Amino acid sequence: MRATDIIKTIRVSEKALQLRDLYEAKRTEGVKEDNAPPAQYTFVVDRRANKHQIRQAIRELFPKVTVTRVNTVNQHGKPKRQNTRLPGYTQNWKKAIVTLKRGDTIDELI
C-alpha cells in the first residue's frame, strides 16, 4: 500500500486537539523543553495497516519528523436508526495516535 492509502485523514476531535494543544501550551509558556510532553497527533488510517506500515507512511509524508511511538485503536461502528426499528451501523474504522520526538511538530496540519 502507498502512504496516501494508509493515512486517510487527520482526526480533528476534542481529545485529539487537547493532545496537540497540551504540547503547544507547554512549549509557548516557557517550560523547559526537557519537561514538555511530546507532540501527539491522531490519524484515521486504513483498517488493514499495522503499526510498522503507519510509521513508514508518516516518515514518507512528513520527512522532517521522527516517530517514537504508534498506538492503534479499532473503533467499531455505532448503531444508528433512520425511520425504522432495526438499527443500521456506521462504518468501522481504525485510529492511530502517533507520538513524535520531543520538539518535532507537523506544521502542515496546524
Side-chain angles (χ1 to χ4, degrees):
M1 285 194 283
R2 296 183 314 206
T4 54
D5 294 336
I6 293 173
I7 306 295
K8 293 183 178 180
T9 61
I10 186 164
R11 179 80 173 150
V12 181
S13 65
E14 189 172 348
K15 183 176 180 178
L17 292 176
Q18 285 176 353
L19 289 173
R20 188 179 73 195
D21 291 341
L22 176 65
Y23 173 77
E24 292 295 325
K26 296 285 186 181
R27 187 175 70 164
T28 57
E29 289 176 2
V31 176
K32 295 180 183 178
E33 288 295 324
D34 297 337
N35 295 334
Q40 291 183 330
Y41 293 90
T42 306
F43 295 95
V44 176
V45 297
D46 189 84
R47 289 183 57 213
R48 298 168 292 173
N50 59 28
K51 292 181 181 185
H52 301 291
Q53 292 171 336
I54 295 168
R55 181 186 302 258
Q56 184 64 32
I58 295 293
R59 283 186 198 154
E60 289 178 21
L61 294 175
F62 309 106
K64 296 180 182 179
V65 299
T66 304
V67 177
T68 58
R69 175 187 279 171
V70 176
N71 295 342
T72 59
V73 178
N74 285 315
Q75 298 285 343
H76 297 287
K78 297 178 183 178
K80 297 286 183 178
R81 296 176 195 266
Q82 284 189 330
N83 301 328
T84 180
R85 284 189 293 164
L86 301 174
Y89 289 89
T90 59
Q91 194 172 21
N92 297 336
W93 54 283
K94 190 172 197 175
K95 175 170 64 172
I97 301 171
V98 178
T99 305
L100 304 179
K101 189 178 110 178
R102 290 183 195 268
D104 286 355
T105 58
I106 299 176
D107 294 329
E108 292 89 4
L109 302 176
I110 296 174

